């Protein structure tokens, strides 16, 4: 991994310290070039002709996404975001009154809201599995809940947006396989940051978004659908001419691939930009990205603790999302010093992580999310800036 070349290919990192890849990362120049080039073609010959001219390039999206998470192109669907893919996956499940979803205290805000919406509409039950004292998932509790409630679905967010915690989705996946329970994984903060292998996770659905650690355009993402889900003819509530073929006045035949979760209309320019972002990550190798990110984030956490900040990340395995606050639980001084020195960051509020932040007894946290285009010198610079704060 040649950091100097990567930074040259990332114009956005030349005049700032960018530490918000968990929100929307900086795109490589080639990603923007691919997107803009396609738009110029549309300008000249129209959208339909441009799709036909670029059919081979478009098909590479499925190949690159499949390579990134160790699956087949037929298991990949393009979606506009992780949340879009998540909603389509949920809509493919035939929930009935009395059904149960088992999830965690650290699931993503939009997912929690979706569960509550299903609860209000179908009167399903939401059960959140316990955490161990070290904040890891309690797999014994998971198994006990599975046996007791026979859940319709188990849903886990791999890395919560409000924490560096990397949850044990493989351990949960083994239980789901053992008890034959549908398993949905939100990987929007993990794909592109760390190695994700769906063969090891044993999930039926996995969602990812392009704009975060994969460094793609906004409005892009993918949904992984397992062979099991496809063979059980699971499909989203609303299909169109991509998802199915109309064969008679009152019937259709499903697309036999994950494309049944797609819609005919999509932003092809962004899709090709996303394809380039996927290719870029695959060329570097996610294992190398993960190793370097761990050095950056571990160094940052260590320095923050040594400087008397309250680091909120808990768990035995932590990723490249670092959340912290002042010892008094406030963040105003941190915000001021970072904003005044062109450091890009995100403030997370209690409403973003109601359960987690209630347990941690905080209302706000600063989130820094270094990625592989960042340097150790940038981390040291941020630490020195923060040390100047009178706590």
């Amino acid at each position: 991994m040649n950091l100097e070349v990567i930074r040259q290919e990332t114009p956005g990192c030349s005049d700032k310290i960018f530490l918000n890849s968990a929100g929307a990362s900086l795109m490589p120049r080639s990603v923007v070039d691919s997107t803009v080039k396609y738009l110029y073609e549309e300008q000249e010959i129209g959208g339909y002709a441009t799709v036909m001219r670029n059919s081979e390039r478009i098909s590479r999206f499925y190949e690159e996404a499949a390579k990134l998470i160790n699956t087949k192109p037929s298991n990949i669907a393009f979606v506009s975001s992780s949340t879009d893919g998540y909603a389509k996956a949920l809509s493919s499940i035939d929930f009935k009154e009395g059904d149960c979803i088992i999830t965690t205290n650290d699931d993503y805000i939009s997912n929690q809201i979706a569960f509550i919406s299903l609860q209000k509409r179908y009167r399903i039950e939401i059960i959140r599995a316990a955490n161990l004292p070290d904040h890891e998932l309690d797999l014994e509790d998971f198994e006990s809940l599975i046996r007791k409630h026979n859940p319709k679905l188990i849903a886990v967010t791999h890395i919560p947006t409000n924490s560096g915690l990397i949850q044990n989705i493989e351990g949960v996946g083994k239980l789901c396989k053992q008890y034959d329970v549908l398993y949905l994984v939100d990987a929007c903060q993990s794909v592109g940051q760390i190695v994700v292998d769906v063969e090891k996770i044993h999930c039926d659905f996995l969602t990812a978004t392009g704009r975060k650690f994969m460094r793609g355009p906004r409005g892009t993402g993918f949904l992984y659908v397992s062979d099991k889900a496809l063979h059980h003819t699971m499909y989203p509530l609303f299909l169109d001419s991509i998802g199915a073929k109309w064969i008679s006045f009152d019937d259709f035949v499903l697309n036999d691939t994950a494309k049944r979760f797609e819609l005919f209309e999509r932003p092809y320019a962004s899709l090709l930009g996303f394809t380039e972002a996927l290719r870029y990550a695959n060329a570097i190798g996610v294992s190398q990205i993960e190793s370097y990110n761990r050095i950056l984030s571990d160094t940052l956490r260590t320095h923050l603790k040594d400087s008397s900040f309250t680091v909120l990340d808990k768990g035995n395995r932590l990723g490249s999302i670092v959340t912290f606050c002042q010892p008094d639980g406030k963040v105003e001084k941190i915000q001021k010093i970072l904003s005044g020195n062109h450091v890009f960051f995100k403030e997370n509020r209690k409403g973003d992580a109601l359960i987690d932040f209630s347990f941690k007894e905080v209302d706000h946290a600063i989130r820094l999310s270094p990625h592989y285009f960042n340097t150790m010198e940038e981390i040291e610079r941020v630490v020195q800036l923060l040390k100047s704060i009178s706590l």
Side-chain angles (χ1 to χ4, degrees), residues 217-347:
R218 296 198 72 172
T220 62
F222 65 75
L223 169 67
Y224 160 81
V225 185
S226 70
D227 287 336
K228 169 187 166 183
L230 293 174
H231 292 159
H232 282 90
T233 63
M234 297 185 71
Y235 59 91
L237 181 60
F238 296 108
L239 294 156
D240 76 358
S241 57
I242 293 296
K245 181 180 180 181
W246 195 16
I247 60 170
S248 70
F249 288 2
D250 296 304
D251 202 6
F252 59 77
V253 173
L254 287 171
N255 189 319
D256 60 2
T257 74
K259 288 183 180 180
R260 70 179 61 161
F261 287 83
E262 295 184 351
L263 296 175
F264 173 80
E265 189 56 39
R266 70 198 75 179
Y268 282 102
S270 296
L271 183 149
L272 284 185
F274 188 24
T275 303
E276 171 57 20
L278 292 165
R279 185 209 63 78
Y280 195 93
N282 281 326
I284 294 171
V286 181
S287 59
Q288 289 197 72
I289 292 171
E290 178 179 353
S291 297
Y292 183 64
N293 281 352
R294 186 181 303 115
I295 294 171
L296 294 174
S297 57
D298 286 352
T299 301
L300 180 55
R301 281 193 192 92
T302 298
H303 283 308
L304 289 172
K305 290 176 182 178
D306 291 345
S307 301
S308 299
F309 289 96
T310 301
V311 176
L312 300 168
D313 306 321
K314 296 180 180 180
N316 295 325
R317 188 181 174 209
L318 300 175
S320 202
I321 295 178
V322 180
T323 58
F324 66 106
C325 60
Q326 295 155 205
D328 59 4
K330 297 181 179 180
V331 296
E332 289 83 357
K333 293 179 181 179
I334 302 172
Q335 289 176 320
K336 185 176 181 180
I337 195 73
L338 294 179
S339 297
N341 287 274
H342 304 292
V343 179
F344 282 54
F345 63 96
K346 171 75 164 54
E347 177 192 352

Side-chain angles (χ1 to χ4, degrees), residues 38-39 41-43 45-59 242 264-269 271-272:
Y38 189 91
L39 287 173
E41 285 191 51
E42 284 192 334
Q43 174 182 270
I45 63 174
Y48 281 20
T50 307
V51 167
M52 294 178 63
R53 179 182 288 183
N54 289 274
S55 59
E56 288 188 16
R57 294 176 64 205
I58 291 168
S59 69
I242 293 296
F264 173 80
E265 189 56 39
R266 70 198 75 179
Y268 282 102
L271 183 149
L272 284 185

